[in-house]
Every structure is written in structure tokens, then in C-alpha cells.
Amino acid sequence: MRPCLALVLVGMLLAPPLWADASRDERLEAAHDYVQRAVADMDLEEIVRSMWRPTVASIEASGTQLTSSQRRRIETLYYDIYTDRLRDLMLSQDELMADLMTLDEIQALRDFYATPEGRSVMQKLPKILNAQQPQIIELVKSTMPEVLSKMQGIVDTP
């Protein structure tokens, strides 16, 4: 190995990781601030709604018509089970962000979501996901036979 190349490789191995722009504690503090604001502005009810509506649609598509009382009970069931758990899960993103992002990236997100436009985006994201979910479900359903067939071919070929 040429000496110059060896020095470059050693330098790469000894170089600090990309996220070493600040201490993890600094990144975690900024991420915690961002996550608290973002989750406070997030429409968790819309996210939970996007979880139960496809299930209800699937039940009704199979021929079982649900009453409005049954739909409300299903909605309540989902809210009771998922709202707090989903909030807790999202609030734990600060640890991941501190490990995967730079301080500048975290601060940029925090600063954007502190603006009226950023808050509006955060409130609309669940609605976007909810609107696109039927297309995603249809995509998965329509491609599943092909995927399963090809996966079987992979599994059967040593």
C-alpha cells in the first residue's frame, strides 16, 4: 500500500463521525426541544383515525355493515389503545435524532417547526398520510402475488 493512501485510510478511521459537531447531550437537548414542540402540534387523532378507518373499510368491503355505534366504539377503542402509546413513541424520537443527526440539522428542524408554516405542516402531515394510505394499501395488495412468487423463487434457489 502506498504511504499516502495509508495515511488517508488511517485519517478516515480516526476522523470523528459526522455527528460529532456537538456533544450528544447538546444534540439530545435540541432534539428534545424539537420533539416536544412537534408532538404538541401534531394531530395524533388524525394519525389514529388513519389506523382504524382502513380496518373498518375492509370489514365493510367484506359485506359486514357496521352501525354508527359500532364505528364509534371501534374509533374509541383505537383512541384508547393508541393515542398515548403513539405520543410516547414519538416523544422518544429525541434519542434517535441525537444519534443520527447533527446539531445544525436538529436546530433547523426545530426552528422551522416553530414558525407558523412549520406548525401548519406538522398539523397537515397526518392528513397527507391518511389520504395516501388507501393507495399504499392497494399497491401492496396488487403486488403481493408477484412479490410472494418471486420471494418463493429466491427461497427455493440455494
Side-chain angles (χ1 to χ4, degrees):
M1 184 179 303
R2 295 175 46 188
C4 188
L5 180 60
L7 287 174
V8 169
L9 291 175
V10 169
M12 287 173 55
L13 292 173
L14 297 177
L18 291 175
W19 45 257
D21 65 320
S23 74
R24 184 176 190 283
D25 288 341
E26 290 173 298
R27 291 189 313 278
L28 183 58
E29 183 179 335
H32 182 76
D33 184 43
Y34 158 75
V35 168
Q36 292 294 319
R37 291 178 194 209
V39 173
D41 290 335
M42 193 175 292
D43 188 349
L44 289 176
E45 287 184 4
E46 183 66 28
I47 294 173
V48 173
R49 196 174 298 118
S50 74
M51 295 167 68
W52 68 262
R53 280 186 174 161
T55 304
V56 166
S58 177
I59 291 168
E60 291 182 335
S62 71
T64 303
Q65 289 304 308
L66 299 173
T67 65
S68 59
S69 172
Q70 289 171 313
R71 290 173 69 93
R72 279 193 307 275
R73 291 192 325 241
I74 291 170
E75 180 178 19
T76 300
L77 171 69
Y78 271 74
Y79 287 143
D80 290 349
I81 290 175
Y82 291 110
T83 304
D84 290 338
R85 293 174 187 178
L86 187 58
R87 180 178 292 105
D88 291 344
L89 180 67
M90 293 184 155
L91 288 171
S92 71
Q93 289 178 6
D94 57 354
E95 296 281 342
L96 294 170
M97 291 175 73
D99 290 338
L100 299 173
M101 300 173 77
T102 67
L103 182 59
D104 287 343
E105 291 168 335
I106 295 167
Q107 289 172 332
L109 274 174
R110 183 196 61 204
D111 294 348
F112 172 69
Y113 285 113
T115 67
E117 295 82 5
R119 291 184 75 206
S120 179
V121 166
M122 187 57 70
Q123 292 166 349
K124 291 175 183 171
L125 280 175
K127 290 174 179 62
I128 293 168
L129 295 174
N130 191 21
Q132 200 166 32
Q133 189 170 24
Q135 297 163 326
I136 294 169
I137 291 169
E138 184 54 39
L139 173 65
V140 171
K141 283 170 52 176
S142 69
T143 57
M144 194 50 61
E146 177 185 1
V147 169
L148 290 176
S149 173
K150 289 181 178 184
M151 283 179 61
Q152 188 63 48
I154 292 169
V155 170
D156 291 343
T157 305

